[in-house]
């Protein structure tokens, strides 16, 4: 059975700061950011693909959402495998597995083939599974009362989506479409080599060699898995949905071109990235329940505001950045809660399941936005109204659906 760093509440074991904490947290965050960049390669170029392949609103939504599917469901087995093999093995393996599909997506784009783009984009989702590696990896490096900080900092690696949104369209302009994908593939290979040579598993971590299926079944039976899955589906799912679909949204609603939409999407992602560690640190201080209350209340209000299409530039910009901040705050709060409640030997499995729920939470909104465009309410108003409703339900659940005794419990 695996163990995690001892807490201050276990006096028989002295509190220690494990040597290498900062280095391994930084490496995990960097690897997460690079693989998330690869995972989000299609979204920032969605407008380009729509024009080249003459896609309908539903087709372009499906194209953008497809990588999210594997990046979500793949976290379930990846989390369980991380419990067994550790992050030092899983990070480089998954990073290398992403490389061929980055290049194949470039091939599909050059062929202007929508079916091939869907196929290769599906497997590009492998890059999104590294989240289920990093949370248990950094969790084992830190004491229980600092895991909110650690998982929050690691979660800032989702800023890879900001890198993708800001740089991918520009790199296509500077270097060309194919060479851009080659550069990202080389970056992935270099990242895998760095992880293999410099990353180490925590001395407090030991492999959990239980069979994968029973391990996942045990994690599924834990209440924390279902509770956090729902909350993460709203918080992280909202972030993924916006960060992948926002370039298309901004083009349709505000008539931005590809580069301008990408720049603004990067700003959105950066706001969420900054907020995630803040959510983790605040959870260590005031508790995850309070952090989720602030986050989900903000998301509910701002979804309504955005449904009314605030004018450019300042009102709309502030609204989108504030939405990103509240979503990022919530993602940090959820995984601080996971670190408190999940049994140490099940952290990888629970993380995989909760991470999958978060990814799936980002898979469906773009499809809903595409299918409901200009229906019931103008443009994307109906989809944003649904987001407000779901966020309000999550807000109520976070405050009354999880017992206070669970909220106070610390993971040993």
């Amino acid at each position: 059975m695996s163990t995690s760093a001892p807490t201050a509440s276990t006096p028989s074991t002295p509190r220690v700061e494990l040597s290498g904490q900062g280095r391994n947290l930084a490496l995990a965050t960097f690897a997460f950011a690079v693989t998330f960049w690869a995972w989000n390669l299609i979204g920032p170029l969605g407008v380009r693909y729509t024009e080249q392949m003459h896609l309908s609103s539903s087709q372009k939504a499906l194209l953008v959402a497809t990588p999210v599917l594997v990046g979500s469901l793949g976290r379930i087995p990846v989390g369980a495998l991380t419990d067994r093999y550790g992050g030092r093995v899983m990070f480089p393996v998954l990073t290398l597995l992403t490389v061929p599909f980055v290049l194949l997506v470039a091939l599909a784009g050059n062929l202007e083939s929508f079916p091939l783009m869907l196929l290769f984009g599906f497997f590009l989702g492998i890059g999104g599974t590294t989240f289920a590696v990093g949370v248990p990896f950094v969790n084992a490096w830190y004491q229980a009362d600092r895991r909110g900080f650690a998982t929050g900092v690691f979660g800032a690696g989702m800023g890879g989506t900001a890198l993708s949104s800001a740089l991918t369209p520009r790199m296509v302009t500077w270097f060309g479409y194919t060479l851009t994908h080659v550069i990202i593939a080389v970056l992935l290979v270099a990242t895998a080599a760095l992880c293999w040579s410099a990353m180490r598993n925590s001395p407090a971590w030991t492999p959990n060699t239980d069979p994968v299926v029973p391990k996942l079944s045990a994690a599924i039976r834990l209440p924390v898995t279902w509770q956090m899955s729902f909350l993460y589906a709203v918080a992280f799912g909202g972030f993924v949905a916006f960060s992948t679909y926002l370039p298309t949204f901004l083009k349709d609603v505000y008539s931005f071109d590809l580069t301008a939409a990408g720049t603004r999407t990067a700003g959105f992602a950066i706001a969420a990235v900054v907020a995630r560690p803040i959510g983790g640190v605040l959870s260590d201080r005031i508790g995850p329940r309070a952090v989720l209350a602030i986050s989900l209340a903000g998301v509910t209000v701002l979804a309504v505001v955005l449904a009314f299409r605030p004018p450019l530039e300042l009102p709309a910009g502030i609204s989108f950045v504030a939405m990103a901040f509240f979503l990022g705050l919530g993602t940090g709060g959820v995984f601080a809660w996971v670190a408190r409640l999940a049994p140490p030997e099940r952290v990888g499995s629970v993380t995989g399941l909760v991470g999958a729920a978060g990814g799936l939470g980002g898979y469906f909104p773009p499809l809903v936005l595409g299918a409901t465009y200009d229906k019931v309410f103008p443009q994307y108003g109906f989809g944003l109204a649904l987001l407000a409703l779901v966020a309000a339900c999550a807000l109520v659940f976070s405050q009354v659906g999880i017992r206070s005794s669970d909220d106070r419990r610390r993971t040993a």
Side-chain angles (χ1 to χ4, degrees), residues 274-288:
V274 170
R276 182 157 188 159
I278 294 174
V281 171
L282 284 177
S283 295
D284 288 338
R285 296 187 178 183
I286 66 175

Side-chain angles (χ1 to χ4, degrees), residues 157-169:
M158 67 186 189
T161 59
L163 291 173
S164 185
S165 297
L167 295 180
T168 302

Side-chain angles (χ1 to χ4, degrees), residues 49-60:
Y49 296 136
T50 298
E51 294 172 352
Q52 286 182 337
M53 303 176 194
H54 309 291
L55 304 181
S56 67
S57 59
S58 296
Q59 285 176 319
K60 66 184 177 183

Side-chain angles (χ1 to χ4, degrees), residues 147-173:
R147 287 178 188 156
F149 160 78
T151 56
V153 170
F154 168 74
M158 67 186 189
T161 59
L163 291 173
S164 185
S165 297
L167 295 180
T168 302
R170 286 177 169 80
M171 288 172 67
V172 169
T173 301

Side-chain angles (χ1 to χ4, degrees), residues 173-269:
T173 301
W174 297 336
F175 309 120
Y177 176 79
T178 301
L179 185 55
T180 293
H181 288 74
V182 172
I183 291 171
I184 294 167
V186 171
L187 177 60
L188 287 165
V189 172
T191 300
L194 177 63
C195 289
W196 181 254
S197 61
M199 185 177 278
R200 296 293 180 267
N201 292 318
S202 167
W205 175 84
T206 55
N208 182 340
T209 57
D210 294 345
V212 171
V213 173
K215 187 190 306 181
L216 289 174
S217 298
I220 288 171
R221 290 194 296 270
L222 295 171
V224 61
T225 302
W226 293 99
Q227 293 164 347
M228 297 301 113
S229 290
F230 172 56
L231 296 177
Y232 202 59
V234 178
F236 184 70
F239 166 75
V240 171
F242 270 107
S243 60
T244 56
Y245 200 72
L246 197 54
T248 300
F249 183 104
L250 293 174
K251 178 182 182 298
D252 291 342
V253 176
Y254 294 108
S255 301
F256 285 119
D257 62 25
L258 185 62
T259 301
T263 300
R264 285 159 177 80
T265 301
F268 177 93

